[in-house]
Amino acid sequence: MGRRVALVLAGILVLVGCLGVAATVPAVQRAISPNAEPTPLPLRLTGRSYDEFSVDLDHAGRYAVWATRPTTAPDRERCRVAGPDGRPVPATVAGHLAWIEVATDDTLWTSTLGFAAPAAGTYRLSCRLDPGSPGQQYTVTREPNRRLALRLRLELWRGLLVAALPAGLVILGMTLTWRRRAD
């Protein structure tokens, strides 16, 4: 690897590492998003297990469905949503987003799908439970805005981002030492 490539790589790693360190500062976290995590809406179980439930939505808007321990990738067929009139509400595949809910002893939730509620009312959801995930649960929140989604992604990858800083500094140090010895 050439010196220039090593210097560029070191610079990128140091920059990414500084971003990771900055993401750990509480003031920066509040600036990104004042909310630490999405707020789960109260659910009423309507089935024998956690696969059928209803949620009262107080206004129209975008909502997200989250699952604990999903064993397969998010998919549109995982949950079926029916509106207050009983008609199906189209669901969209969610981008991979996860959050660790501190209030429930660090439960890991992964976004599975989203849906747009055209009106306020009671929505019924029927979600497939994965046999490989005993105790799997679902919850519904308002869809995270861009700032909250950015914060959740940074929290998920923070350790890796912070680890880039010492790696970049080591590569930078080795490159500078290599340069001195070569001269």
Side-chain angles (χ1 to χ4, degrees), residues 55-142:
V55 59
D56 293 324
L57 304 180
D58 56 358
H59 67 279
R62 301 254 346 131
Y63 291 87
V65 179
W66 305 77
T68 58
R69 299 185 300 274
T71 57
T72 58
D75 66 84
R76 188 183 338 232
E77 301 303 317
R78 176 179 293 277
C79 293
R80 301 212 187 280
V81 182
D85 58 2
R87 292 186 179 158
V89 175
T92 58
V93 175
H96 183 75
L97 193 61
W99 110 80
I100 297 175
E101 187 180 17
V102 177
T104 59
D105 212 9
D106 295 342
T107 300
L108 176 65
W109 295 93
T110 303
S111 58
T112 58
L113 60 94
F115 67 94
T122 301
Y123 285 75
R124 291 186 327 273
L125 287 90
S126 176
C127 297
R128 182 179 71 243
L129 296 174
D130 287 324
S133 293
Q136 183 178 41
Q137 296 181 7
Y138 289 93
T139 194
V140 176
T141 69
R142 288 191 176 87

Side-chain angles (χ1 to χ4, degrees), residues 17-85:
C18 288
L19 173 67
V21 170
T24 65
V25 177
V28 172
Q29 289 179 345
R30 283 190 301 277
I32 294 170
S33 173
N35 299 324
E37 56 193 39
T39 304
L41 300 172
L43 303 178
R44 286 188 312 280
L45 296 180
T46 57
R48 291 179 37 203
S49 60
Y50 217 97
D51 58 347
E52 292 184 23
F53 51 92
S54 64
V55 59
D56 293 324
L57 304 180
D58 56 358
H59 67 279
R62 301 254 346 131
Y63 291 87
V65 179
W66 305 77
T68 58
R69 299 185 300 274
T71 57
T72 58
D75 66 84
R76 188 183 338 232
E77 301 303 317
R78 176 179 293 277
C79 293
R80 301 212 187 280
V81 182
D85 58 2

